[in-house]
Amino acid sequence: MSYVSTVPDPDSAYDPDPDEQARRSEFGWTEVRRGLGLILRGWLLMLVSLGLAVGVLVLIFWPGENGRPTISAKWRDLSVLFTILGLGVAWLYCYGCIVVGHWRCLMFAPERNGAKWLMFGCMICICAGPVLNTTMGFGGLKKPPKIKRGLEDLREVEFTPTAVVAHTAAAVVDVLSFVLFILFLRSVAGCFNDGTRVLFADLYLLLYGMTLGGTLFLMFGNPAPAMQLPFALGALGGGVTCFFGYLFLVCMARGGITRGLARVQSPFEA
């Protein structure tokens, strides 16, 4: 006669996977989803505002019957100025949405799968990149522009060696922040045991690495003249694909959170 207890585990009735208990104690996923929504809103509004600005500039400089713009030079300059100012205000709002979205993800993401720490590193890089560029942009000029001959003066701008190193470091930091954010999205998918979204994040990182490597080779590798155009087209196509793929990954992450939360069952409902 066996005296082994056969009392069923109360958690076994509603634990579909080993991480179910952890997900029931994580209450910040809704805010993470909202943060991803803010990031998506910022990038989409930035894209829309850029398209509107380009459309306005085309209308301003559209030639009339005589081959010249129909708007006078005075109103044309004012229109261009207001278009640039409007685009700047719109992009400032968009950048604010993106930063606030990242901050919300940082504050409410769980530590499981390293999600919070990946977002923490991403936020540090997001803040450090603009600081390096802005500081060295004003304080690292060896030969500042005089702005008397237009674009010709801008070509003669020279930076100090320290500024060159700082700008290079800022570019590396920007790339690192982007990679860390993609790893964060991958970690979010892993928290819900979503293998499909994890695979998409891995494929995206591979595409991004190939695009970045091709761009760097085009800039510094001195390819043969016959290969410059294919590399340029490949880098351009890869960049466009990476941008829309990034938006797609953010949408997938939001959808994965919504789907994952819908599957989480409260122990009181078991």
Side-chain angles (χ1 to χ4, degrees):
M1 181 175 180
S2 175
Y3 292 96
V4 178
S5 175
T6 57
V7 178
D9 183 3
D11 290 340
S12 61
Y14 53 84
D15 274 351
D17 58 70
D19 293 331
E20 181 68 17
Q21 183 69 31
R23 283 196 290 268
R24 286 198 302 271
S25 62
E26 295 167 350
F27 302 103
W29 283 117
T30 302
E31 294 299 323
V32 173
R33 182 176 57 190
R34 291 176 181 174
L36 294 176
L38 283 174
I39 296 172
L40 190 63
R41 179 197 304 177
W43 283 111
L44 289 177
L45 288 179
M46 190 176 293
L47 184 63
V48 171
S49 61
L50 178 61
L52 290 176
V54 171
V56 171
L57 292 177
V58 169
L59 291 177
I60 292 173
F61 291 97
W62 190 262
E65 296 180 356
N66 56 357
R68 297 180 179 179
T70 56
I71 304 177
S72 62
K74 177 182 177 180
W75 288 106
R76 189 165 61 245
D77 293 342
L78 287 175
S79 300
V80 171
L81 177 62
F82 281 110
T83 300
I84 295 176
L85 289 176
L87 182 63
V89 172
W91 278 23
L92 184 62
Y93 170 77
C94 295
Y95 185 74
C97 288
I98 294 171
V99 173
V100 172
H102 281 80
W103 177 256
R104 182 166 290 184
C105 290
L106 170 63
M107 294 301 296
F108 294 97
E111 295 187 8
R112 191 158 52 94
N113 284 354
K116 182 178 288 292
W117 295 108
L118 287 170
M119 201 67 239
F120 179 73
C122 178
M123 279 298 301
I124 291 179
C125 294
I126 288 176
C127 296
V131 170
L132 287 173
N133 281 321
T134 304
T135 304
M136 290 295 106
F138 291 101
L141 289 176
K142 182 178 181 181
K143 184 178 180 181
K146 298 179 181 180
I147 317 292
K148 292 182 179 180
R149 294 175 297 171
L151 295 177
E152 294 183 6
D153 287 325
L154 295 179
R155 297 191 185 98
E156 298 178 358
V157 175
E158 294 182 8
F159 291 94
T160 62
T162 304
V164 173
V165 173
H167 284 302
T168 304
V172 174
V173 165
D174 290 338
V175 172
L176 182 59
S177 69
F178 190 80
V179 172
L180 287 174
F181 183 72
I182 300 301
L183 291 175
F184 167 76
L185 297 181
R186 185 184 186 279
S187 177
V188 168
C191 287
F192 291 95
N193 292 337
D194 195 335
T196 301
R197 287 173 171 80
V198 170
L199 178 61
F200 271 104
D202 292 337
L203 293 176
Y204 181 85
L205 287 174
L206 178 61
L207 174 64
Y208 181 73
M210 294 173 59
T211 303
L212 181 62
T215 303
L216 292 177
F217 178 74
L218 182 64
M219 295 173 60
F220 306 107
N222 194 21
M227 297 299 297
Q228 290 181 0
L229 181 59
F231 267 102
L233 293 177
L236 178 62
V240 173
T241 305
C242 284
F243 176 76
F244 287 102
Y246 169 84
L247 299 181
F248 178 69
L249 278 182
V250 175
C251 290
M252 285 190 67
R254 294 187 74 244
I257 293 175
T258 302
R259 181 181 177 184
L261 291 179
R263 294 199 309 264
V264 174
Q265 184 179 8
S266 171
F268 300 103
E269 298 176 358

